[in-house]
Amino acid sequence: MSLLTNVMDHSLDDGYAEAAARKESEDAGGMPKTLRAKLGLAAGLVLAALVVTVGAAQARVAAPVVAKEREELIDRIDRETEAADKLERAVDTLRDDVSARQQEALKQSGGSGRADLVGILAGAVEVHGPGVKLVVNDAKEATTGGDGDPRETSGFSDTGRVRDRDMQRVVNGLWASGAEAVSINGQRLTALSAIRAAGDAILVDNKPLVPPYTVLAVGDGENLSTRFQNSADGLYLNALQENYGIRTAISVEDDVRLPAAPSVIVRTAQPRSEKGTS
């Protein structure tokens, strides 16, 4: 009975009772939990404010440096742009000088009539006369191809955009149909001209063109138009229109005017001597 009485009187272990008493004593003499939490939050806010203040101060100090670097970069861009414009003007002047010297050399070598013929065929002089006007444009809802690949072997694409290969066929078809001079968007084509692509842009002699592409060709207007539309290249263009929405329009013109090519420079070819052999 004494053991049972002892257990009932001391239901908790002495160690548990002692720990509970010590905890109560610490809570009574220390800070409440809510107060400690508030103090911790306040300390965190003070630390965050300190970080923001230091960052703002550093940004304020660095701002003049960044502004100065930006102004220097703008000034440099302006200087380089002005230098590029000056070089471009110099190139245009030199091209005009070369063209004038070429015309003078042609006149001295073969007479005025022959010089004019050579200048026309070489694209070195402005020309005008009857011909055709052909406008080729992208489809109304043209899109850029996802992979940027050129047309497949069939020569078509589902993007609705005019490609460099299309314009090559158009120009070759006009030459084959009897055109004597051709230009695209004001760019005169010569024997040295190249129609290429750079991404989705079409280049003529390395100068980018934007649609619509206006092709002017000097020749026998009605016959030139009929021959081209019945040629393989004309049928190719018609297929582009019917199947892929490429927009085309051709008209016969009484007088079309084509500019001279910027410069026609030959570095290797030499004229053959006209002297006969004995």
Side-chain angles (χ1 to χ4, degrees), residues 89-274:
R89 290 192 296 269
V91 169
D92 291 338
T93 301
L94 291 174
R95 282 176 175 172
D96 293 340
D97 183 58
V98 169
S99 297
R101 291 175 182 270
Q102 286 176 339
Q103 293 302 311
E104 185 65 26
L106 288 172
K107 291 179 180 179
Q108 292 177 359
S109 63
S112 178
R114 183 178 179 184
D116 292 340
L117 175 61
V118 172
I120 291 173
L121 297 178
V125 297
E126 298 180 5
V127 296
H128 74 96
V132 297
K133 176 181 178 181
L134 175 61
V135 180
V136 184
N137 200 357
D138 295 338
K140 289 184 178 180
E141 298 181 356
T143 58
T144 303
D147 52 7
D149 291 335
R151 296 191 187 280
E152 300 175 350
T153 55
S154 64
F156 298 115
S157 169
D158 60 359
T159 63
R161 296 180 66 90
V162 180
R163 302 295 188 182
D164 57 322
R165 289 177 56 183
D166 304 329
M167 296 309 301
Q168 289 171 5
R169 295 200 59 166
V170 167
V171 170
N172 289 335
L174 288 171
W175 287 125
S177 300
E180 299 172 359
V182 179
S183 69
I184 303 178
N185 284 17
Q187 294 293 321
R188 180 75 174 274
L189 301 182
T190 70
L192 303 178
S193 296
I195 301 176
R196 300 175 180 174
D200 288 325
I202 295 178
L203 307 181
V204 174
D205 293 338
N206 294 324
K207 293 185 177 181
L209 305 179
V210 294
Y213 307 103
T214 301
V215 184
L216 298 178
V218 175
D220 186 353
E222 289 288 351
N223 290 333
L224 177 59
S225 176
T226 301
R227 290 175 183 173
F228 172 74
Q229 293 183 72
N230 293 333
S231 68
D233 297 312
L235 296 176
Y236 169 86
L237 187 61
N238 186 62
L240 286 180
Q241 182 178 9
E242 293 182 353
N243 296 288
Y244 298 95
I246 298 298
R247 292 171 286 173
T248 65
I250 187 169
S251 60
V252 177
E253 303 291 331
D254 295 331
D255 187 66
V256 293
R257 296 181 177 272
L258 278 62
S263 64
V264 181
I265 300 175
V266 179
R267 296 182 175 86
T268 305
Q270 298 291 331
R272 182 178 178 181
S273 174
E274 296 182 357

